Amino acid sequence: MSLSPSELHEMTLASAKKALAAGDVSSRELVEAHLSRIDAMDGELNAFITRTADQALDAAKTADETRAKGGDLPPLLGLPVGLKDLLCAKGVKTTAGSRMLENFVAPYTATCVRKLVDEAGAISLGKLNLDEFAMGSSGENSFFGATKNPHAPDRVPGGSSSGSAAAVASDMVLAALGTDTGGSIRQPASHCGVVGLKPTYGRVSRYGVVAFASSLDQVGPVTKTVEDAALMLNAICGVDPFDATSLSETVPDFTQSLGRDIKGLRIGVPTEYFVEGIDPGVKRAVEAAIAKAKDAGAEIVEISLPHTKYAVGTYYIIAPAEASSNLARYDGVRYGHRAEGASELVEMYTRSRTEGFGEEVRRRIMIGVFALSSGYYDAYYGRACQVRTLIRRDFETAFENVDVIAAPVSPEPAFKIGERVDDPLKNYLSDILTIPLNLAGLPGMSIPCGADDQGLPVGLHLIGKPLDEATLIRVGDCLEKVLPPRPTVKGA
Ligand code: GLN
């Protein structure tokens, strides 16, 4: 049986895995079909910063040879994926979307990449675009130019994992890795009509992930289906001696949560997440999805997360504070951009950092340094840490009574490219529904749940108890079957 290129790139990770196992397709054919899809689509979308076509074709050849030998095969052997360009892959450029790291070639591989590629056998087709140092919600803050939303090229795909969401939505890769510090997997997944899952803080090692805000950063999958998210999670989770914050709890087989019902499950709906100003189309799609959950036998319970309104303020102290110290390492001395012609050290530091960092990154560094400076530390950073605890307790209380929480991901659909570049505050405020989970360390997932009045994708937000990604997969997989299908993107 010979499959056409479009049949190949329209596959999911799971269906391609099956086709490989059945001998209906080779890894070389899969990789080639996706590389041509990238050639056809990415000129317009700009989802990739670096393509690694030659390495991918070599890896496909090896994968096909390994498969031919038979025996126990790695679970994702020969399947083409993409990596957010915040994740180090040895010998490949890792830019973090920044001029600062424009020519930085990673000397080692991130644990999540090692697990996905070296151990589970997936093949990376390249490094995906993002907001600089993962700071942003639109993809427009990349030194390498904005990524476009495959469903509406005049609109943003969301951010900061802009390239990951756009590449999966447009079938350029079967699945991708992103990172989520304040919503960067879930919000672009919602805007692009794909699945995005942020695991519990510590589930996936942060080793080799360019640091933004270390108490919040977490790696997770962007996929076409919930089943694919389970396959990706199986590959990347687990304790890592190189990351002291990684969790040693056992990692279940997440595919065991597929194909189950949700009868009797208690789903909490937080009043505070249907915020004032929420787009009516988003509200309608999310409410319809919650009604479907009820039809499927779940019990819908109204809950309250009273400190939600403080989440944006809290995050925008803690994240910039941590970022300002993480980014202190880019001093023009050891690696990264160095300004030319400086006559003394401080001038070299100042000019390297001014030239190397974009406007949003510099803004965050200044906020962070101010919040941490002596005399202000207690009033800002100390206070924010206290409020963070209150936000976490809101969830603890809610979860005494419910198994999972359902809400919108973003109060609005994808907005127009350029519309907000001069209004950072508006962008910060739109993170209101994703940030609280990061502050509390909880897992969360966005699954496609239809469209707004203009036909733009809307995501349903499922929020789980700590370490309970399994229930997110169970609910997401069950609902996916009764919700409108993920929107697809036609060929170029
Ligand atoms: N939009 C948020 C920010 O700009 C979240 C980013 C992220 O999760 N990396 O900080």
Side-chain angles (χ1 to χ4, degrees):
M1 183 170 78
S2 168
L3 297 162
S4 71
S6 69
E7 284 172 312
L8 293 177
H9 57 67
E10 279 166 18
M11 284 181 168
T12 63
L13 199 66
S15 69
K17 178 177 152 80
K18 260 193 215 127
L20 279 171
D24 291 341
V25 68
S26 67
S27 177
R28 186 176 56 80
E29 287 169 310
L30 270 178
V31 166
E32 280 175 354
H34 283 87
L35 290 174
S36 358
R37 179 74 171 172
I38 296 170
D39 283 340
M41 306 287 288
D42 205 44
E44 159 96 1
L45 296 178
N46 196 32
F48 280 83
I49 293 178
T50 303
R51 301 185 199 177
T52 49
D54 291 342
Q55 288 105 304
L57 289 166
D58 286 347
K61 188 166 175 280
T62 313
D64 286 332
E65 287 163 4
T66 308
R67 189 174 297 276
K69 281 190 213 129
D72 239 2
L73 297 175
L76 303 179
L77 181 68
L79 297 166
V81 299
L83 307 171
K84 183 177 185 176
D85 203 14
L86 199 67
L87 312 174
C88 287
K90 189 176 174 178
V92 180
K93 257 204 259 180
T94 299
T95 69
S98 180
R99 183 182 182 199
M100 183 58 87
L101 294 176
E102 190 182 359
N103 297 310
F104 175 69
V105 176
Y108 66 98
T109 296
T111 299
C112 58
V113 176
R114 177 174 60 72
K115 280 171 162 282
L116 181 67
V117 175
D118 302 350
E119 290 171 20
I123 295 176
S124 168
L125 301 189
K127 305 297 289 295
L128 297 162
N129 210 346
L130 68 156
D131 285 298
E132 185 177 2
F133 285 100
M135 297 176 193
S137 332
S138 72
E140 292 167 292
N141 297 340
S142 169
F143 175 66
F144 301 90
T147 301
K148 293 181 176 164
N149 189 314
H151 301 289
D154 59 336
R155 292 181 184 263
V156 303
S160 66
S161 307
S162 48
S164 305
V168 174
S170 59
D171 297 328
M172 294 196 281
V173 290
L174 290 172
L177 288 183
T179 65
D180 192 314
T181 303
S184 281
I185 289 175
R186 293 160 287 150
Q187 185 254 22
S190 174
H191 285 357
C192 289
V194 291
V195 174
L197 195 156
K198 177 203 105 68
T200 308
Y201 179 77
R203 256 298 192 207
V204 181
S205 166
R206 290 182 294 108
Y207 178 72
V209 181
V210 177
F212 165 10
S214 304
S215 77
L216 302 161
D217 297 343
Q218 183 59 194
V219 177
V222 179
T223 55
K224 299 183 190 180
T225 64
V226 175
E227 179 181 17
D228 288 0
L231 291 172
M232 292 285 279
L233 266 195
N234 275 359
I236 61 174
C237 290
V239 66
D240 177 14
F242 292 122
D243 174 4
T245 62
S246 68
L247 299 169
S248 55
E249 271 76 3
T250 341
V251 181
D253 173 0
F254 293 105
T255 62
Q256 296 294 318
S257 305
L258 300 167
R260 302 195 28 210
D261 67 35
I262 55 168
K263 288 201 185 77
L265 213 74
R266 291 171 66 83
I267 300 184
V269 178
T271 341
E272 293 83 357
Y273 279 42
F274 290 82
V275 283
E276 205 182 305
I278 186 170
D279 177 273
V282 169
K283 186 164 182 263
R284 196 173 17 77
V286 171
E287 283 174 347
I290 294 170
K292 295 267 188 203
K294 189 165 183 225
D295 294 345
E299 192 183 331
I300 309 300
V301 185
E302 203 178 297
I303 57 165
S304 173
L305 298 167
H307 294 94
T308 302
K309 56 178 176 291
Y310 304 115
V312 171
T314 304
Y315 172 89
Y316 279 98
I317 294 292
I318 292 178
E322 294 184 16
S324 70
S325 34
N326 275 326
L327 270 56
R329 71 189 70 174
Y330 304 105
D331 55 7
V333 176
R334 284 162 297 180
Y335 51 82
H337 178 77
R338 180 187 297 182
E340 276 174 31
S343 54
E344 44 89 25
L345 188 65
V346 174
E347 186 194 349
M348 194 279 285
Y349 285 161
T350 314
R351 285 193 23 215
S352 297
R353 288 170 67 81
T354 310
E355 291 171 12
F357 292 137
E359 200 186 341
E360 181 60 28
V361 175
R362 280 183 273 144
R363 181 182 297 122
R364 304 262 182 134
I365 292 173
M366 286 189 281
I367 295 171
V369 167
F370 181 80
L372 292 176
S373 53
S374 79
Y376 294 100
Y377 183 94
D378 290 338
Y380 290 103
Y381 187 73
R383 199 72 194 269
C385 291
Q386 289 170 333
V387 181
R388 181 178 189 170
T389 304
L390 297 177
I391 291 169
R392 203 189 60 234
R393 284 195 195 141
D394 276 0
F395 283 107
E396 280 167 8
T397 310
F399 279 124
E400 281 170 14
N401 201 21
V402 299
D403 302 298
V404 72
I405 295 173
V409 174
S410 170
E412 59 192 1
F415 50 89
K416 293 249 169 75
I417 291 177
E419 192 180 289
R420 297 228 176 125
V421 280
D422 297 321
D423 194 352
L425 195 60
K426 198 153 188 199
N427 270 338
Y428 297 174
L429 289 171
S430 72
D431 292 335
I432 171 89
L433 307 178
T434 47
I435 277 174
L437 278 73
N438 300 79
L439 291 170
L442 302 173
M445 175 163 71
S446 176
I447 62 168
C449 72
D452 77 338
D453 305 333
Q454 303 169 82
L456 297 166
V458 177
L460 171 70
H461 203 179
L462 297 169
I463 304 164
K465 295 179 185 173
L467 291 165
D468 195 14
E469 293 84 4
T471 301
L472 296 184
I473 305 263
R474 174 178 165 200
V475 178
D477 175 62
C478 176
L479 289 181
E480 193 175 51
K481 298 183 175 103
V482 291
L483 288 174
R486 118 183 145 87
T488 52
V489 176
K490 294 222 169 43

